Amino acid sequence: KKAPKHITLPQGAPYGNVVVDTDACTLCLACVSSCPSDALRDTPETLELRFVESACVQCGICKATCPESAISLQPRANLSPAAMQPVTLYAEEPFECTRCGTPFASKSTIDRIRERLGGKHSMYDTDDRVALLSMCDNCRLEVLAEKTGDPFAIASRPRIRTTDDYIEAEKSGLSVDDFISKD
């Protein structure tokens, strides 16, 4: 009889596999940064998430760190020699800056950011502002500088009130209650 390659283990076992939901993963690689055993890895040349099963201790830090909840743990003992080799769990073509063509993120990351911010956040309420999300950091600053002169003046903040403001207001007959927002 041939021995099984994988033996299912109970939850909390110190060996196992990491399963990635590729529909949810944006390749932010937060899991790679948090993995204490170097079981999850990235590659400098390509945009991919790699995994070495023999190095995984099923600590769950990758799962807890994932902002997209795309990681689940699968406790098991992998008896095959392949457990020692890195395997690609997910790969994507990089997204290129719409202005200079420099690759700077994954397409799914840019799509997710556009979906969450475009038209829904005061900094990205116009088509020109949403277009900034498709640019690398250098081009984004250049476009902002060309249009406004100050790339950091995207949104103005209200002036902070100080004690002196309240003292001056009291002299003109206003009270602290006049400053409390009714929203």
Side-chain angles (χ1 to χ4, degrees):
K1 183 177 173 183
K2 192 174 181 182
K5 288 187 178 181
H6 303 106
I7 299 170
T8 303
L9 298 174
Q11 284 299 103
Y15 307 104
N17 190 26
V18 168
V19 179
V20 175
D21 177 358
T22 57
D23 291 333
C25 181
T26 60
L27 282 173
C28 70
L29 303 176
C31 55
V32 172
S33 300
S34 68
C35 182
S37 64
D38 197 32
L40 289 167
R41 303 172 179 182
D42 62 347
T43 56
E45 312 84 38
T46 58
L47 193 54
E48 59 185 25
L49 174 61
R50 299 183 52 87
F51 177 67
V52 179
E53 189 167 345
S54 64
C56 183
V57 296
Q58 296 282 290
C59 64
I61 295 174
C62 57
K63 181 179 177 180
T65 304
C66 181
E68 307 300 338
S69 300
I71 293 179
S72 58
L73 302 176
Q74 182 185 46
R76 71 180 189 181
N78 186 346
L79 305 175
S80 72
M84 305 288 274
Q85 299 301 314
V87 295
T88 300
L89 297 179
Y90 185 49
E92 248 188 70
E93 289 298 316
F95 184 87
E96 295 178 351
C97 174
T98 54
R99 188 167 186 210
C100 71
T102 301
F104 72 97
S106 69
K107 182 181 181 321
S108 60
T109 297
I110 299 302
D111 289 345
R112 186 84 37 98
I113 291 170
R114 271 195 240 141
E115 172 190 318
R116 290 186 181 169
L117 296 179
K120 299 174 186 168
H121 189 278
S122 61
M123 288 177 62
Y124 302 102
D125 56 354
T126 65
D127 290 341
D128 286 347
R129 293 293 176 137
V130 173
L132 293 173
L133 296 171
S134 300
M135 295 179 199
C136 67
D137 54 347
N138 291 333
C139 291
R140 189 176 315 122
L141 286 175
E142 287 173 12
V143 168
L144 286 170
E146 290 166 3
K147 292 185 179 186
T148 63
D150 182 3
F152 300 105
I154 292 176
S156 60
R157 294 182 134 183
R159 187 177 153 278
I160 297 173
R161 291 190 192 107
T162 65
T163 303
D164 291 337
D165 294 326
Y166 292 111
I167 292 170
E168 286 300 314
E170 189 175 40
K171 288 178 185 175
S172 64
L174 296 174
S175 72
V176 172
D177 293 334
D178 294 320
F179 292 96
I180 297 174
S181 176
K182 305 284 192 263
D183 313 342

